[in-house]
Amino acid sequence: MSRTDTPTTAEERFARAVRPEKPFNRLRLVVTVAVVGGFLGAALTTDANWNRLLEAPEALWRIATLMFSQLSLADLPRALSFMWESVAIAWLGTMIAAALSFPLAFLAAQNISGRVSVGITRQLLNIPRAIPEIIFAIALIPIFGLGPLAGTVAIGLSSTGTIGKLSAEIIEGCDSGPVEAADAAGANRVQRVRWGVIPQVMPEIIAFWLYRFEINIRASAVLGVVGAGGIGTLLQQSILYNQWGAAGMALIVVVVATILIDALSGYVRRRIIRGPKGRAAKDPETSASAMV
Amino acid sequence: MSRTVPGQRSSTTTARPKRPLPSPFVIVGVLSVVAITLAMGMDWRYGIGFSLTQIWEGLTRPNAPMRGLANIDVAVLLGERARDGFLETLQMALIGTIAGAAVALLLALFNSKLGAPNRVAYAAVKLFNNVIRSIPDLLWALLFVAAVGIGALPGVLALFFFSIGVVTKLTSDTIDGIDHGPVEAARASGASHLQMLRTAVVPQVLPAYTSFTMYCFELNLRASAVLGFVGAGGIGAVINFYRNLGQWDRVWGVVLGFLVVVILVERMAMALRRRLL
């Protein structure tokens, strides 16, 4: 909107022109009031010890220096073996969830199953989606005892909901062409799914399994806090007994291992989705369907 | 290709084409999945000793949690302890999400190639965010409980950092995919970098950002059931309290109430999101 110094007719018209007023945006006002009001309301009424907030950066810094000044390589093997256990819990849990959710996904897909089956299965899948892994873990520990088995089953059950729902959505989004072709060739229900649906949806579903595995690593890293195995146990114990060096090493191992596995799994996921020749990518992480 | 197979009807029927071999990628993939699963599942040094019989035995034995589930006590939700727990959970999730999302919008701009003022800032923010994202919510809570003591404050701080990680990642991915037309228009009319971000980038990602923030609120609500287990307040502390007393009927009552709250919030967020996008 730069104005030149030489007056022209266009310039004169510009000078006379009145900028339109910004329209009053009621939604904006409502949202602003709701967000600011909600924030202040919650902050003022909550029982949090706000005067300790100012101490937080200093305390965190103190802990960080304690952790990283006492690092010792002697703690590394133990941290690695606990992390390996966490990864194993996440992997086996994801396998359980994949096995449980795969048939359920077809029962919950509208283009495959009847309305009753879809309704019931959807509700069934909603329950584990809403309950955090740790609730499953505390309920399973009295059953399976302290240790990785409880964590594995907890991860398996709680991921079944998300994986099942997402797989059902992928199945519903599949191209109907091959399904009709299978029908035309005289396929029955099972054959239609086997030859018309599964070949199309498998890459996306497997990519989502892998994505969920990445999420489950984060989940299994914390399950140890309640005693369900994995590196959470090591972290909590070492913080509890002020063994800051061991805690720092465990934290580093968690961060580095998660980033590495994310990168590896992300590469495999993209390769699965794109295929060898590089088809259009539909990565679960970047599509909106990741929001589950 | 056309081998004569005994019993084939006639030479005029075309032979079925041979199935192509699976690609090396598939073969290696399937083999490594099987190998990893076996190595991790077996009962040896590098495995966790996973066994289906043990699961079956565990589930068929009478146990306290299942007995509690059968006699679920919903009346516990009317009690003061549960009510305060739910209120605290909502407050923690609200504060953590709003504060975290506000910071995340700034970080998300820097976390994308388009929005970062220079490459150093881009790399620094990217590294910072990757580290933040790889620390799970419960570990944040553990750290903050150690730093500022138990209560709602460490919970709020944990959710704050957790929200930064989630919202920054999702929003910066959206920024990478925006329409470059408005960006060029802003630059052509002489906007500074900040003005360009404000007028060309932020309006484009605002609906997605709002949706991510609401999604993050749902995550935080769910997470707040977890934080209480390490002393960071919220409904998790109530669940942990009844669990330590072994009163599983009450544990399940609180969990049921929590489930209803989560599903209600999810429904509301979904309705809002549909209007936004």
Side-chain angles (χ1 to χ4, degrees):
Chain A
M1 249 159 271
S2 66
R3 300 169 59 170
T4 46
D5 288 325
T6 47
T8 61
T9 46
E11 179 63 20
E12 281 163 17
R13 252 183 281 135
F14 182 80
R16 257 185 282 123
V18 184
R19 257 202 174 191
E21 232 175 272
K22 259 196 181 177
F24 174 67
N25 192 337
R26 204 176 54 172
L27 180 72
R28 195 172 180 153
L29 183 74
V30 170
V31 170
T32 316
V33 168
V35 169
V36 174
F39 182 76
L40 288 180
L44 292 177
T45 52
T46 187
D47 207 10
N49 211 344
W50 287 115
N51 44 358
R52 296 205 64 176
L53 182 63
L54 293 175
E55 299 168 27
E58 198 189 331
L60 209 58
W61 179 251
R62 186 171 43 85
I63 288 181
T65 31
L66 277 174
M67 274 183 173
F68 298 120
S69 62
Q70 298 175 11
L71 279 185
S72 113
L73 276 181
D75 294 322
L76 185 61
R78 199 158 57 116
L80 281 179
S81 85
F82 270 106
M83 189 66 215
W84 176 258
E85 190 173 78
S86 280
V87 175
I89 290 172
W91 178 266
L92 293 172
T94 312
M95 295 292 250
I96 294 179
L100 287 179
S101 68
F102 195 63
L104 289 177
F106 288 96
L107 291 177
Q110 274 164 354
N111 55 349
I112 307 288
S113 304
R115 198 177 289 166
V116 181
S117 147
V118 171
I120 295 175
T121 323
R122 286 258 150 131
Q123 285 314 312
L124 205 67
L125 290 174
N126 265 339
I127 297 172
R129 238 156 45 80
I131 304 179
E133 286 91 355
I134 207 149
I135 306 280
F136 279 105
I138 59 158
L140 289 169
I141 286 173
I143 301 178
F144 298 127
L146 289 171
L149 190 60
T152 310
V153 178
I155 297 247
L157 289 180
S158 72
S159 337
T160 300
T162 346
I163 299 185
K165 176 172 177 260
L166 246 293
S167 308
E169 276 165 19
I170 294 171
I171 292 167
E172 281 171 4
C174 80
D175 181 9
S176 59
V179 182
E180 282 163 21
D183 272 343
N188 62 28
R189 275 171 89 93
V190 177
Q191 286 170 327
R192 189 202 304 158
V193 170
R194 169 66 189 86
W195 301 105
V197 181
I198 289 184
Q200 305 187 47
V201 297
M202 226 42 222
E204 254 181 89
I205 291 183
I206 292 181
F208 190 73
W209 290 348
L210 269 177
Y211 178 60
R212 188 65 205 189
F213 166 61
E214 293 167 36
I215 297 179
N216 282 345
I217 290 183
R218 292 173 168 78
S220 73
V222 302
L223 283 184
V225 168
V226 292
I231 196 155
T233 314
L234 179 64
L235 256 166
Q236 202 203 13
Q237 298 294 321
S238 33
I239 289 181
L240 196 63
Y241 298 117
N242 291 336
Q243 294 164 344
W244 297 107
M249 186 53 89
L251 201 61
I252 292 176
V253 167
V254 170
V255 171
V256 172
T258 349
I259 292 178
L260 281 183
I261 294 176
D262 273 10
L264 184 70
S265 157
Y267 166 76
V268 176
R269 264 193 291 132
R270 280 187 288 278
R271 173 64 178 74
I272 289 176
I273 294 283
R274 274 198 208 124
K277 288 169 198 109
R279 271 190 298 138
K282 205 164 154 203
D283 196 5
E285 193 178 2
T286 49
S287 71
S289 56
M291 291 201 282
V292 281
Chain B
M1 193 119 130
S2 54
R3 273 184 304 158
T4 32
V5 180
Q8 208 171 27
R9 265 176 297 167
S10 75
S11 55
T12 50
T13 42
T14 42
R16 262 199 173 188
K18 240 197 254 170
R19 250 177 189 239
L21 276 174
S23 78
F25 180 76
V26 171
I27 298 174
V28 172
V30 170
L31 285 181
S32 46
V33 164
V34 172
I36 293 172
T37 310
L38 286 179
M40 285 177 166
M42 277 191 320
D43 194 6
W44 64 312
R45 219 183 125 201
Y46 299 107
I48 59 171
F50 180 82
S51 86
L52 286 173
T53 48
Q54 211 180 331
I55 290 182
W56 178 249
E57 275 168 22
L59 287 177
T60 45
R61 222 171 357 194
N63 56 68
M66 286 205 186
R67 227 177 306 126
L69 188 58
N71 310 311
I72 181 167
D73 174 14
V74 190
V76 72
L77 291 173
L78 302 173
E80 201 176 330
R81 185 181 293 276
R83 204 192 53 211
D84 288 352
F86 275 114
L87 192 63
E88 191 168 64
T89 278
L90 280 175
Q91 290 166 332
M92 280 163 45
L94 256 182
I95 304 170
T97 311
I98 295 176
V103 176
L105 185 58
L106 292 176
L107 284 182
L109 291 170
F110 278 53
N111 197 23
S112 66
K113 281 212 173 95
L114 178 67
N118 54 51
R119 218 173 271 175
V120 180
Y122 172 71
V125 170
K126 191 133 228 164
L127 179 71
F128 173 71
N129 194 48
N130 273 341
V131 171
I132 281 196
R133 247 163 41 85
S134 62
I135 302 182
D137 42 11
L138 198 58
L139 293 194
W140 282 117
L142 262 178
L143 287 177
F144 282 117
V145 167
V148 298
I150 60 168
L153 183 61
V156 169
L157 289 172
L159 295 181
F160 171 68
F161 277 92
F162 178 69
S163 311
I164 291 181
V166 173
V167 180
T168 304
K169 172 80 170 73
L170 289 170
T171 310
S172 63
D173 282 351
T174 313
I175 292 178
D176 286 334
I178 62 166
D179 180 11
H180 278 231
V183 176
E184 282 160 24
R187 284 198 183 128
S189 59
S192 68
H193 187 70
L194 276 180
Q195 285 171 326
M196 182 277 283
L197 292 179
R198 168 71 191 84
T199 55
V201 178
V202 172
Q204 282 197 63
V205 296
L206 212 50
Y209 165 74
T210 317
S211 158
F212 296 145
T213 305
M214 282 192 296
Y215 163 63
C216 186
F217 179 70
E218 288 170 44
L219 285 185
N220 281 343
L221 205 59
R222 254 174 259 186
S224 64
V226 169
L227 302 179
F229 285 91
V230 294
I235 195 66
V238 180
I239 296 176
N240 202 23
F241 173 79
Y242 288 125
R243 169 201 174 221
N244 287 337
L245 292 179
Q247 298 174 344
W248 287 97
D249 48 342
R250 294 195 167 153
V251 169
W252 291 118
V254 178
V255 169
L256 183 70
F258 173 73
L259 219 123
V260 172
V261 170
V262 167
I263 290 179
L264 274 182
V265 168
E266 197 186 84
R267 284 282 143 83
M268 272 157 52
M270 235 197 300
L272 271 174
R273 206 177 282 152
R274 216 166 279 151
R275 283 193 55 187
L276 274 173
L277 294 179

